[in-house]
Amino acid sequence: MRPGDVLHLTRAASVQFIRPITVRVIRVLTDRHTYDGWLWIDAYELDAAGDAVRRRTLFLMPAGATRPEPGPRRPAPRRPIPGRAVVA
């Protein structure tokens, strides 16, 4: 597990994930003592659009974390054309 990894966390990763979440790893907290096969991470919780909505520190079993399926990409925001009026 490395910074930037996107993970889907369910009850397979920890009982705390009753409602599955998707996160982007900020860093693995190697200075914390854990049970064998578990670790602490700092991560951003992501919304359905892939935007960070909350920073979280999580205790989980990496073997239970999965990589989400790539979804449709958001279109880039439309930029106004110089010299043209914006129609709402």
Side-chain angles (χ1 to χ4, degrees):
M1 192 169 301
R2 299 180 321 195
D5 285 351
V6 176
L7 306 172
H8 185 69
L9 304 175
T10 64
R11 290 183 68 103
S14 176
V15 295
Q16 68 184 309
F17 304 116
I18 295 169
R19 180 185 58 84
I21 65 171
T22 302
V23 299
R24 181 180 308 113
V25 177
I26 299 169
R27 65 186 172 131
V28 177
L29 302 172
T30 56
D31 59 334
R32 294 191 181 187
H33 297 285
T34 65
Y35 296 106
D36 188 38
W38 292 76
L39 56 79
W40 285 93
I41 63 169
D42 274 340
Y44 290 115
E45 184 175 349
L46 306 177
D47 64 10
D51 295 323
V53 292
R54 184 175 309 127
R55 184 174 176 157
R56 301 194 50 186
T57 299
L58 304 168
F59 183 60
L60 60 99
M61 189 178 345
T66 59
R67 309 248 186 246
E69 300 270 336
R73 299 195 85 149
R74 285 188 295 175
R78 296 180 71 184
R79 298 175 194 263
I81 298 172
R84 285 208 174 163
V86 177
V87 180

